[in-house]
């Protein structure tokens, strides 16, 4: 029997809803202002399929979240892209990582679960690609409320399919340009957080093996339905906190159990305290230790270079 899951309230969505009111009043920050332009590529050759009618300017804003502090949020993404983080010269080891931030399929926690993670990867010789997938902000009728996780996943089915389509296209693009990016086409992984981890699971369970990553990292994620991973599904590293108020840690246990029953390699890390949306930021909680565990896992699979060491 499927567990209904605890009722969840989403502080990111609440902060986003408040910030969207500011956007409507013209007080939020427009995208593209300020610093030197990063290395960014579009993932679709033309308008992204299925959302050609989406309009409006992309928006960026800062929100204060209870567990994570100040977080830079991106929303109203109609043109999906990849932002590339390259290791320093001489450090690239041929591994690539697609980074998929969370944000309740309404926004993206861009720094907390995106650029900060990508920089961590680049410091370990991994060429990282932060996926800015399509999301739409909540309207006036989308004010945040409490709902079970299973209800949330049912309600966001269309948004999940759009996000998964962007993730698959991003994988194809990165592999097709492997030589240009200095990576190996059979060493392209994915790491996803919250909604990004749900997107990751949708991609991994897809029917086309060529559109799956070679290794995956699920951080406070969940799987929809009861589908088992196919033979040859990628090795999996899983992270969650027992006190997560939004995505019960049991959802991560269920993912691990499915991999284990299928005889597929998986490693599960559960921490007593960490909450939800901790990213890689240290907050003096047990979950602070997970990046070190991930680093050890990547090193054991020869996918990373030790921080501070040159790649061979």
């Amino acid at each position: 029997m499927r567990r209904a899951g605890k009722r969840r309230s989403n502080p990111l969505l609440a902060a986003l809803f408040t910030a969207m009111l500011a956007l409507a009043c013209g007080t939020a920050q427009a995208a593209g202002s300020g610093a030197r332009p990063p290395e960014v590529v579009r993932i679709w050759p033309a308008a992204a399929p299925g959302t050609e009618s989406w309009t409006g300017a992309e928006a960026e804003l800062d929100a204060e979240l209870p567990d994570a502090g100040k977080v830079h949020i991106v929303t109203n993404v109609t043109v999906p892209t990849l932002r590339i983080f390259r290791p320093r010269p001489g450090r690239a080891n041929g591994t690539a990582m697609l980074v998929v931030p969370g944000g309740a399929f309404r926004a993206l926690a861009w720094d907390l679960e995106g650029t900060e993670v990508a920089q961590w990867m680049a410091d370990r010789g991994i060429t990282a690609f932060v996926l800015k997938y399509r999301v739409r902000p909540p309207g006036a009728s989308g004010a945040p409320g409490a709902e079970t996780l299973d209800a949330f996943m049912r309600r966001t089915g269309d948004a999940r399919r759009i996000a998964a389509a962007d993730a698959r296209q991003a994988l194809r693009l990165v592999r097709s340009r492997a030589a240009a990016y200095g990576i190996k086409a059979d060493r392209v992984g994915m790491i996803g957080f919250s909604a990004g981890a749900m997107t990751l699971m949708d991609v991994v369970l897809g029917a086309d093996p060529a559109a799956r990553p070679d290794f995956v990292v699920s951080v406070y994620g969940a799987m929809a339905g009861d589908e088992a991973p196919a033979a040859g599904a990628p090795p999996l590293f899983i992270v969650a906190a027992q006190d997560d108020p939004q995505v019960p840690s049991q959802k991560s246990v269920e993912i691990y159990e499915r991999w284990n029953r299928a005889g597929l390699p998986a490693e599960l890390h559960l921490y007593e305290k960490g909450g939800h949306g901790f990213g890689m930021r240290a907050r003096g909680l047990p979950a602070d230790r997970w990046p070190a565990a991930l680093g050890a896992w990547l090193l054991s699979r020869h996918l990373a270079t030790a921080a501070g060491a040159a790649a061979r």
Side-chain angles (χ1 to χ4, degrees):
M1 179 181 297
R2 291 182 63 193
R3 296 176 175 86
K6 64 179 74 173
R7 297 187 70 81
R8 66 196 296 277
S9 60
N10 192 321
L12 175 58
L13 188 55
L16 174 63
F17 183 77
T18 301
M20 285 300 96
L21 297 179
L23 179 64
C25 297
T27 58
Q29 177 184 358
S33 62
R36 178 181 177 183
E39 187 178 2
V40 175
V41 296
R42 292 177 59 148
I43 66 171
W44 295 100
T51 58
E52 292 86 352
S53 64
W54 285 15
T55 59
E58 190 173 293
E60 300 180 7
L61 45 98
D62 292 323
E64 192 76 23
L65 301 188
D67 292 331
K70 188 176 181 180
V71 177
H72 193 68
I73 293 172
V74 178
T75 190
N76 204 44
V77 176
T78 61
V79 179
T81 61
L82 289 172
R83 178 173 173 183
I84 306 170
F85 285 71
R86 299 177 185 267
R88 291 192 298 274
R91 296 212 57 207
N93 57 28
T95 302
M97 183 74 89
L98 185 64
V99 181
V100 190
F105 298 105
R106 297 294 188 93
L108 305 175
W110 189 244
D111 53 354
L112 175 68
E113 298 171 346
T115 59
E116 293 172 11
V117 178
Q119 188 59 59
W120 186 95
M121 297 291 170
D123 290 343
R124 287 153 181 80
I126 299 171
T127 304
F129 301 80
V130 186
L131 176 60
K132 185 183 284 186
Y133 55 94
R134 287 170 282 172
V135 290
R136 298 283 272 176
S141 62
E147 64 182 346
T148 66
L149 178 64
D150 289 349
F152 167 80
M153 295 185 77
R154 289 193 297 271
R155 177 174 61 79
T156 57
D158 289 342
R160 286 198 352 259
R161 283 187 283 273
I162 289 170
D166 286 347
R168 292 188 186 99
Q169 177 66 9
L171 282 171
R172 295 186 191 100
L173 178 69
V174 169
R175 284 183 172 137
S176 72
R177 299 181 181 178
Y181 292 138
I183 61 172
K184 298 179 180 179
D186 61 353
R187 286 174 59 177
V188 181
M190 283 181 66
I191 180 171
F193 297 77
S194 193
M198 297 173 195
T199 299
L200 177 154
M201 285 299 160
D202 287 341
V203 172
V204 170
L205 294 175
D208 182 7
R212 296 178 195 147
D214 299 299
F215 58 97
V216 288
V217 181
S218 171
V219 188
Y220 34 87
M223 290 176 72
D226 300 315
E227 187 177 351
L236 173 62
F237 183 95
I238 311 166
V239 180
Q242 186 182 25
D243 64 345
D244 190 325
Q246 295 181 56
V247 181
S249 59
Q250 181 61 32
K251 295 294 183 179
S252 289
V253 175
E254 291 170 2
I255 295 172
Y256 172 80
E257 289 175 342
R258 294 190 203 185
W259 253 250
N260 193 47
R261 285 195 298 269
L264 297 167
E267 185 166 317
L268 172 64
H269 291 261
L270 292 180
Y271 297 93
E272 180 187 359
K273 294 185 181 298
H276 186 84
F278 44 80
M280 287 187 159
R281 296 180 182 178
R283 296 172 299 138
L285 295 174
D288 294 355
R289 297 193 295 272
W290 84 267
L294 174 61
W297 185 77
L298 291 169
L299 283 169
S300 73
R301 305 192 74 86
H302 308 290
L303 295 169
T305 303
R312 293 182 180 179

